[in-house]
Amino acid sequence: MTTIAKKIDALVRDVPDFPKPGIIFKDITPILQDAQVFKETIDAMANILRAENLRYVAGIESRGFVFASALATALGVGLVLLRKPGKLPWKTLKATYQLEYGTDAIEIHEDAVAQGDSVAIIDDLLATGGTATAAACLLRDAGADVKKILFAIELDFLQGRQKLIQAGFKNIESFVHY
Ligand code: AMP
């Protein structure tokens, strides 16, 4: 494991049966409480993204916002919000995706990105990949060039990475793998 991965791993808290029985929730709030590790996480993400010459970082609601907004400031680029349906006030574009039972959706403002804008997508955790794949497809359909999809944590056994790759997104990186 890299240095930052070890530090994240040491702080992530497993919460069994949250939000429902059988799920082990990976709680990242102890990382945010640790000023040094939070800063090092943002620095490590910024180092990965600096070479991409981004126009925007796009954060996935809601824990993705925490990392993405700090990153936008660190990189000196704009921030795009990928939100749950009905939250954004302006005209939106929407991508719907499959859950275990039913569907969910994610939205951006229709003017959030312009044709050819370079964007990196940020979230705290990659699980089944449904959310991140919908986010990436939504940005691509809106004309953006999705350069990188970056997570603090990836649950390898749920194979979210395969879902992203199947949708044509290959530039995926996570610090800690479980
Ligand atoms: P998925 O669409 O299955 O990849 O789920 C990803 C989204 O759900 C991310 O925004 C995560 O924050 C959240 N999530 C899914 N599973 C977990 C988990 N075990 N622990 C913490 N967050 C999770």
Side-chain angles (χ1 to χ4, degrees):
M1 269 202 264
T2 60
T3 312
I4 190 62
K6 280 184 197 148
K7 290 184 182 183
I8 291 171
D9 176 51
L11 285 172
V12 168
R13 173 166 53 198
D14 283 4
V15 183
D17 300 321
F18 183 87
K20 48 186 181 183
I23 305 282
I24 300 175
F25 193 86
K26 298 286 183 187
D27 176 18
I28 52 99
T29 61
I31 298 163
L32 309 180
Q33 285 174 273
D34 188 313
Q36 188 61 33
V37 177
F38 184 30
K39 183 182 185 311
E40 286 176 29
T41 303
I42 298 302
D43 289 346
M45 287 180 163
N47 286 340
I48 289 167
L49 296 179
R50 205 160 275 122
E52 304 288 353
N53 268 317
L54 299 174
R55 176 89 194 269
Y56 297 113
V57 290
I60 297 180
E61 184 169 356
S62 59
R63 285 174 300 278
F65 291 172
V66 175
F67 295 96
S69 58
L71 255 179
T73 304
L75 291 168
V77 304
L79 175 65
V80 166
L81 303 182
L82 291 147
R83 296 212 65 178
K84 307 269 164 64
K87 301 278 189 183
L88 287 166
W90 187 238
K91 294 172 192 165
T92 58
L93 305 171
K94 182 195 279 205
T96 303
Y97 58 98
Q98 215 59 44
L99 296 175
E100 195 179 353
Y101 302 103
T103 61
D104 207 345
I106 196 150
E107 294 184 343
I108 53 170
H109 274 154
E110 65 170 17
D111 59 359
V113 292
Q115 197 68 33
D117 282 345
S118 300
V119 177
I121 298 171
I122 319 295
D123 204 359
D124 65 329
L125 182 141
L126 176 61
T128 66
T131 314
T133 304
C137 290
L138 185 55
L139 285 166
R140 183 175 59 191
D141 290 349
D145 182 5
V146 179
K147 293 278 192 188
K148 193 103 184 170
I149 309 177
L150 187 56
F151 306 91
I153 299 164
E154 179 169 346
L155 303 182
D156 292 350
F157 58 96
L158 292 176
Q159 301 186 336
R161 183 176 287 257
Q162 275 64 46
K163 193 171 280 175
L164 280 166
I165 289 169
Q166 275 164 18
F169 302 98
K170 295 187 174 62
N171 215 343
I172 307 154
E173 201 155 330
S174 310
F175 292 139
V176 189
H177 295 261
Y178 295 112

